Amino acid sequence: MSPIPWWKNAIVYQIYPASFKDSNNDGVGDIPGIISELDYIQSLGVTTIWLCPMYDSPQHDMGYDISDYQAVYPPYGTMEDMQVLIDACHQRGLRIILDLVVNHTSDLHEWFKASRSSKTDPKRDWYIWRPAKYSDDGTRQPPNNWRSHFGGSAWEWDETTQEYYLHLFATQQPDLNWENSETRQAIYASAMEFWLQKGVDGFRVDTVNMYSKHPSYADAPILDPSSDTQVAHSLFCNGPRIHEYLREMNEILSKYDAMTVGECPNTHTIEGVLNYVSAAKKQLNMVFEFDVVELGVGTDYKYSTTPRDWALPQMKAVLKRSQALMNAGDGWTTVFMENHDQARSISRFGSDRSPELRETSGKMLAMLQCGLSGTQFIYQGQEIGMVNAPAQWPISEYKDVESTNYHEMIRQKTNGEPEALQKAMKALQHLARDHGRLPMQWSAQANAGFTAATAKPWMRPNDNYAEINVERQREDKSSVLSFWKRMLQLRKDHADLFIHGTFGLLTEQHEQLFAYTKTSHSSSAFVVLNFSEEEQKFERPAAMGGRDWELLVSNLDDVGGSKDVLRAFEGRIYLSNQLCN
Ligand code: TEU
């Protein structure tokens, strides 16, 4: 049997540089700050770091708008700092992967500046330019009705050359034209090989299924008749040439044995996902499926929804599907519930109503995650149970382009109607990307120990930092942090079950209980989690051979061994060295 590739057993810790740790007190996190916390990161038991974009950027979308792949954003540090970080990780046996953002660049990237300079510029075709359409009365219109992810048309008119360019995200993020092979080669050299040669171990690949657009550039079906723009995912996700591009990209990555994990939104079938992650197809090692983190989001606009508009059977169904991927062929999956694009998992799927519920539900979610097969991803702050910003924070505390654009759109659409704005705020309080971007809570010192007390952090720290912080939890054996460490260790100790085992869903339709089994060739685990504040009775499945289950871990200290009742957000994991029925 061939050895297990390192990235399958990896436990990846995601770092958002702006919000992790500020070393020079300018209010923005930085690379030296990350270096200073490598001991902490390693103490969690993680094996790999994923660093969100630290490239030079005008920061319209927090560094996902890159103006130079081969330079570091100065407030984050220098190229030397990056080399120190890469080497320091390797000296400790940690691996480091970077974000690869190549669906688009910043509009300030030299390539785009050249492309927009004239229709005859050699780089004109490196981006996606189209002439205007005109309505019967002669009004100029974009080439189609596609809506950008951040609202409004996905096309921007360029006065100088009198054409539109495509931007699936912010106006300042023009889409690269992957149809052009010269562009692709430039991307591989500048964004990938440059960093692979510096020693990085792989990439988290941004929006990986959007490079190939449907060649018709047809209008999207009309979901919202009151709007000029429409959701157009089916026309720019999983396009006809995407797998060809990824195979080509993989030829370079495989020279360096680099790991890849791609973002794969709007792909809801096992076959669709396997097309990207089947080992035989040599494209990506694994992808992030979005189904869990998109529970309860609006279909037309992400924030056109109400808090907690989802039910537990839905979560079970989508996890069942992504776990089934492991047995459906030669693919591999990922496990995550948070990242920098998501609100905090405790606030969404657990409870932040009281300190007790917060801690118990945070630990329960750690049990859910650590029991699932695939590569594990933890987002900074998740390990100490950070939660969403307080409900009373006004829109002025929200910095993300997606949040501010949405709020502004509702304001304009409704002429500032208070009820509509309140509804929008409620959704943002629950789901905005901002919640994951608040400064890391290191201590009870002013500014959460993220930056100096006298500095002005780029985002306001959560008001609860005196209560929820690393310093307070580090030595406390009953803290969320200690629990995560324990769960990660158990995951490693029982890798055959928890990382590689076969998932079996129980309680499929139960609205409050989530129970599943994991089986390996020689043993089984039974995981049972209460997603509600009420007590829930459960039944253990029969373990084969007449033996009983042995309690491996619980998130509450005083488990009455044989009592098969779970208290609010209680979770238990049982083991049996026999296979279960
Ligand atoms: O996100 C890609 C993506 O698919 C987003 O639409 C995601 O669904 C959205 O953020 C949810 O609200 C990536 C990055 O992770 C994100 O931070 C960037 O803004 C985006 O690409 C553009 O580069």
Side-chain angles (χ1 to χ4, degrees):
M1 242 174 48
S2 54
I4 296 174
W6 68 268
W7 42 263
K8 289 196 172 179
N9 289 348
I11 297 170
V12 185
Y13 186 73
Q14 182 190 349
I15 296 180
Y16 199 62
S19 303
F20 190 62
K21 179 93 195 200
D22 180 14
S23 74
N24 60 356
N25 301 326
D26 61 355
V28 178
D30 47 45
I31 297 156
I34 299 169
I35 296 168
S36 73
E37 291 297 348
L38 285 177
D39 279 348
Y40 169 73
I41 294 169
Q42 198 154 30
S43 77
L44 302 174
V46 305
T47 62
T48 303
I49 290 173
W50 149 25
L51 190 59
C52 279
M54 72 305 145
Y55 312 98
D56 206 1
S57 159
Q59 305 286 332
H60 287 286
D61 184 22
M62 291 304 297
Y64 282 90
D65 49 327
I66 298 170
S67 52
D68 186 351
Y69 292 108
Q70 298 172 211
V72 174
Y73 177 53
Y76 290 165
T78 61
M79 199 54 98
E80 289 69 44
D81 293 330
M82 272 307 289
Q83 195 64 61
V84 172
L85 175 63
I86 296 167
D87 296 343
C89 285
H90 290 159
Q91 275 154 18
R92 293 162 174 268
L94 287 172
R95 289 191 160 89
I96 175 166
I97 64 170
L98 302 185
D99 230 291
L100 180 62
V101 190
V102 289
N103 175 68
H104 43 264
T105 65
S106 158
D107 59 346
L108 297 187
H109 194 291
E110 290 304 324
W111 298 344
F112 188 69
K113 286 189 194 166
S115 184
R116 80 182 320 173
S117 66
S118 89
K119 277 188 181 155
T120 55
D121 187 273
K123 290 202 171 57
R124 181 66 171 179
D125 187 47
W126 284 38
Y127 292 82
I128 301 171
W129 293 96
R130 292 285 182 279
K133 274 195 337 200
Y134 289 91
S135 58
D136 294 343
D137 66 2
T139 319
R140 193 189 69 225
Q141 284 178 343
N144 64 28
N145 66 0
W146 295 4
R147 180 181 296 163
S148 105
H149 281 88
F150 299 146
S153 171
W155 297 94
E156 181 72 6
W157 178 247
D158 179 61
E159 276 303 333
T160 320
T161 55
Q162 298 283 300
E163 276 190 327
Y164 283 93
Y165 68 84
L166 180 72
H167 60 91
L168 295 183
F169 292 88
T171 322
Q172 299 87 352
Q173 289 169 299
D175 278 51
L176 283 156
N177 179 16
W178 276 70
E179 303 273 333
N180 183 324
S181 65
E182 201 192 336
T183 316
R184 298 202 299 278
Q185 296 309 323
I187 292 170
Y188 304 151
S190 184
M192 286 167 32
E193 291 216 77
F194 178 81
W195 288 100
L196 289 166
Q197 280 164 10
K198 294 193 182 296
V200 303
D201 299 287
F203 295 105
R204 173 269 191 186
V205 197
D206 194 63
T207 55
V208 79
N209 62 351
M210 299 185 198
Y211 308 158
S212 168
K213 279 75 176 170
H214 198 286
S216 68
Y217 282 85
D219 276 340
I222 295 175
L223 252 183
D224 175 5
S226 73
S227 173
D228 295 344
T229 63
Q230 304 294 329
V231 172
H233 299 149
S234 60
L235 292 153
F236 58 71
C237 286
N238 309 324
R241 293 187 68 187
I242 188 67
H243 298 294
E244 172 196 335
Y245 299 154
L246 292 181
R247 274 193 303 274
E248 185 179 87
M249 189 159 143
N250 187 259
E251 278 169 26
I252 293 168
L253 292 159
S254 57
K255 283 196 291 187
Y256 297 85
D257 196 23
M259 150 188 169
T260 48
V261 50
E263 264 197 312
C264 202
N266 309 303
T267 310
H268 307 292
T269 62
I270 293 182
E271 304 72 56
V273 176
L274 270 177
N275 282 336
Y276 289 90
V277 300
S278 147
K281 293 194 172 167
K282 293 191 178 3
Q283 296 177 34
L284 298 165
N285 296 142
M286 57 192 131
V287 295
F288 295 123
E289 293 170 72
F290 277 49
D291 307 272
V292 170
V293 291
E294 286 188 345
L295 285 169
V297 308
T299 40
D300 198 8
Y301 287 92
K302 176 178 170 185
Y303 301 121
S304 297
T305 184
T306 50
R308 289 190 184 252
D309 192 13
W310 61 279
L312 193 58
Q314 289 171 289
M315 179 191 276
K316 292 186 240 189
V318 294
L319 281 173
K320 180 180 170 187
R321 202 180 54 221
S322 86
Q323 290 289 292
L325 202 110
M326 312 285 284
N327 307 100
D330 56 351
W332 186 253
T333 194
T334 57
V335 189
F336 73 103
M337 298 195 96
E338 287 190 17
N339 60 39
H340 65 292
D341 291 336
Q342 303 303 331
R344 292 291 183 174
S345 57
I346 294 179
S347 304
R348 293 183 68 184
F349 308 123
S351 172
D352 55 12
R353 237 166 42 81
S354 74
E356 202 186 345
L357 292 177
R358 182 189 73 224
E359 285 180 18
T360 310
S361 66
K363 291 175 187 172
M364 184 205 68
L365 292 171
M367 293 170 97
L368 169 64
Q369 245 193 266
C370 291
L372 294 172
S373 290
T375 299
Q376 186 81 205
F377 290 80
I378 305 165
Y379 179 62
Q380 68 182 43
Q382 188 179 2
E383 76 278 18
I384 55 168
M386 281 175 65
V387 295
N388 279 4
Q392 63 276 16
W393 279 18
I395 187 68
S396 55
E397 299 290 0
Y398 289 69
K399 307 290 173 214
D400 178 26
V401 55
E402 189 180 50
S403 312
T404 51
N405 279 6
Y406 181 73
H407 193 266
E408 183 53 22
M409 181 189 82
I410 297 296
R411 205 182 59 75
Q412 286 184 13
K413 242 185 172 170
T414 67
N415 236 333
E417 190 188 287
E419 225 168 86
L421 285 173
Q422 252 169 31
K423 182 165 185 273
M425 268 326 284
K426 271 221 149 50
L428 291 170
Q429 282 154 4
H430 192 62
L431 289 173
R433 308 200 298 181
D434 303 78
H435 300 294
R437 302 176 179 190
L438 265 50
M440 177 73 184
Q441 295 167 205
W442 292 102
S443 73
Q445 285 169 30
N447 285 329
F450 159 71
T451 184
T454 47
K456 183 165 169 32
W458 78 277
M459 271 198 92
R460 171 173 167 183
N462 199 317
D463 301 354
N464 61 22
Y465 66 80
E467 204 184 321
I468 306 174
N469 64 63
V470 172
E471 198 170 83
R472 188 164 168 184
Q473 295 189 22
R474 213 194 290 250
E475 302 306 328
D476 176 0
K477 288 202 165 46
S478 66
S479 66
V480 177
L481 176 60
S482 299
F483 193 80
W484 262 103
K485 288 186 192 176
R486 182 165 166 219
M487 284 309 306
L488 293 177
Q489 188 56 47
L490 285 175
R491 185 173 170 83
K492 289 181 194 166
D493 293 346
H494 301 274
D496 59 331
L497 269 179
F498 295 135
I499 306 179
H500 300 271
T502 302
F503 174 87
L505 179 60
L506 306 168
T507 66
E508 202 144 352
Q509 295 307 323
H510 201 297
E511 298 270 340
Q512 290 83 24
L513 267 191
F514 192 156
Y516 63 88
T517 54
K518 292 296 291 291
T519 40
S520 73
H521 57 283
S522 60
S523 59
S524 330
F526 168 54
V527 181
V528 59
L529 312 163
N530 179 3
F531 269 76
S532 77
E533 290 186 25
E534 290 78 46
E535 285 196 346
Q536 301 294 333
K537 263 197 157 133
F538 69 94
E539 276 173 35
R540 309 182 205 193
M544 289 239 290
R547 299 219 190 161
D548 205 2
W549 295 96
E550 191 189 317
L551 183 68
L552 177 71
V553 58
S554 152
N555 60 346
L556 289 178
D557 294 334
D558 55 337
V559 175
S562 62
K563 252 177 76 199
D564 286 351
V565 175
L566 297 179
R567 285 156 287 172
F569 293 106
E570 184 175 356
R572 296 189 204 161
I573 301 182
Y574 295 89
L575 274 194
S576 163
N577 58 2
Q578 305 285 323
L579 297 174
C580 63
N581 284 321

